Amino acid sequence: MISFLNLKQINQQYLEELSQAARDVIASGWYLLGERVSKFESNLSKYVGVEHAIGVGNGLDALRLILRGYIELGVMAVGDEVLVPANTYIATILAIADNGLKPVLVEPDTNTYNLDLSQLERHITSRTRAIMVVHLYGRVCWSEGLESLAAQYNLRVIEDNAQAIGASWRGRKTGSLGDAAGFSFYPGKNLGALGDSGAVATDDAELADVVRALANYGSRVKYVNEFKGLNSRLDEIQAAFLDVKLKYLDIENRRRREIANAYCRFIDNSAIVLPAGRGHAAVFDEEEHVWHLFVIRSEARDLLRRHLEAEGVQTLIHYPIPPHRQGAFSEMAALSLPVTDRMHETVLSLPISPVMTDIEVERVVSAVNNYSAHSFSISQGLQA
């Protein structure tokens, strides 16, 4: 079976360096808010191209803390609105709702899977304070028009950069495009820790200062609590692991692009919709996509998934249920979001990993090309 993502194999490449990093942290006797966190924050800020990076507990907290920071600074208030893509992972929306803000769901572009920027303006009201863009699946969601719109309405632009670290737009890396950005280093991300962790990135010194305090019980000075904060701190050991892996991120992203290009070139099946590049063809700028996920669409998605499993290819669905159909947001159930609903019914993620071999890539291509919804449904009936 070709696994969807072999984390053991990915981390095995760096076993010696990771082991040494762990030994160094253990020997130091200092496990929180120490030199390793400071070093990783410095290296991350340089890599992304921002003035400030703050390590936090996870990607959800990164977004929560950004919004909470803006509330503490008086930029936002409870009840204000944040525009957000309707087809994102639920964490993006949880971060908004958790701060007493109102998520306003906007349909995605069917060609890019990202927020349909052409629909933003009609959702803006007197209570809108921010746009939260998600660089979904690793593809940049940005434009000059977005920048102009945000400036026209005095809106903050917050990047959910959980899936796109290393991607660039016109020479600027995601995470440095907006006013602030949240990162996730969940183990399966392109830059994955060996546990939960995340970061906030921004050029706004005031916001960075407040976020750092909020993440540490609302405290800048020990036992002096200025805010009703959280406990959301990046561990020394995870920072040390991330610092090792950051050095290899561009190499791993390059391999992801090679695999994605092979899929786009050689998958040829009229029952499959491939990711669309520029001009809605499978042509991508070298840096605009880091392929955290390679997502295709099929009208008979479940049949296709069973076919690929029978062919020895593991797939996943990102994501089977859209946020407005989740019980957690039952108040949104009446929303009409047909593009989002259809997307969640048809998407399927193929294996894409920096440790996949060329032979494995060829096997995936062959298995997809061999798929026929009609013939597979007949074979299933005969086996029943």
Side-chain angles (χ1 to χ4, degrees), residues 297-368:
R297 298 203 309 273
S298 170
E299 291 299 317
R301 188 260 310 281
D302 294 337
L303 282 178
L304 172 60
R305 192 179 189 198
R306 288 196 288 272
H307 162 79
L308 292 175
E309 183 178 4
E311 293 283 319
V313 176
Q314 183 186 25
T315 60
L316 293 178
I317 300 171
H318 297 88
Y319 303 97
I321 305 172
H324 70 288
R325 300 296 182 201
Q326 299 280 3
F329 288 107
S330 57
E331 68 273 19
M332 297 182 179
L335 290 177
S336 176
L337 296 164
V339 176
T340 295
D341 283 331
R342 195 72 188 120
M343 194 170 286
H344 284 257
E345 291 167 356
T346 58
V347 292
L348 185 68
S349 301
L350 298 181
I352 188 164
S353 159
V355 295
M356 283 183 72
T357 66
D358 290 345
I359 291 174
E360 288 176 322
V361 175
E362 290 170 7
R363 283 178 56 194
V364 174
V365 170
S366 177
V368 175

Side-chain angles (χ1 to χ4, degrees), residues 5-43:
L5 184 66
N6 190 327
L7 292 178
K8 180 179 178 180
Q9 192 177 354
I10 289 172
N11 289 314
Q12 189 75 26
Q13 301 172 102
Y14 317 120
L15 180 59
E16 185 175 337
E17 289 182 79
L18 293 171
S19 298
Q20 185 59 55
R23 286 193 291 268
D24 289 345
V25 172
I26 294 168
S28 75
W30 194 286
Y31 307 125
L32 281 172
L33 301 180
E35 292 180 3
R36 278 83 183 172
V37 169
S38 295
K39 182 170 177 270
F40 174 66
E41 289 176 340
S42 176
N43 289 335

Side-chain angles (χ1 to χ4, degrees), residues 40-179:
F40 174 66
E41 289 176 340
S42 176
N43 289 335
L44 179 64
S45 65
K46 290 174 185 175
Y47 179 84
V48 174
V50 294
E51 290 295 322
H52 308 278
I54 305 101
V56 299
N58 53 69
L60 171 57
D61 279 358
L63 297 175
R64 291 169 69 202
L65 287 161
I66 290 168
L67 293 168
R68 175 70 181 281
Y70 280 133
I71 290 172
E72 295 292 351
L73 290 169
V75 175
M76 299 179 189
V78 170
D80 283 343
E81 298 171 354
V82 178
L83 307 189
V84 63
N87 64 315
T88 185
Y89 182 55
I90 197 169
T92 318
I93 297 170
L94 286 171
I96 299 168
D98 185 65
N99 280 288
L101 302 168
K102 180 181 178 182
V104 177
L105 306 191
V106 181
E107 291 269 52
D109 182 326
T110 55
N111 292 301
T112 67
Y113 304 122
N114 276 331
L115 186 64
D116 187 344
L117 301 179
S118 69
Q119 293 197 37
L120 285 173
E121 189 165 19
R122 69 185 185 88
H123 290 280
I124 295 173
T125 73
S126 61
R127 294 303 301 269
T128 306
R129 295 292 178 268
I131 302 167
M132 188 172 286
V133 298
V134 181
H135 305 300
L136 197 64
Y137 308 149
R139 184 173 190 166
V140 179
C141 178
W142 204 260
S143 73
E144 290 178 344
L146 171 63
E147 293 178 345
S148 297
L149 187 71
Q152 178 183 349
Y153 289 96
N154 191 29
L155 305 178
R156 296 297 194 275
V157 182
I158 302 162
E159 299 173 75
D160 181 339
N161 200 39
Q163 300 185 1
I165 186 169
S168 295
W169 183 81
R170 299 185 180 179
R172 297 157 56 198
K173 281 191 165 60
T174 54
S176 71
L177 301 173
D179 295 285

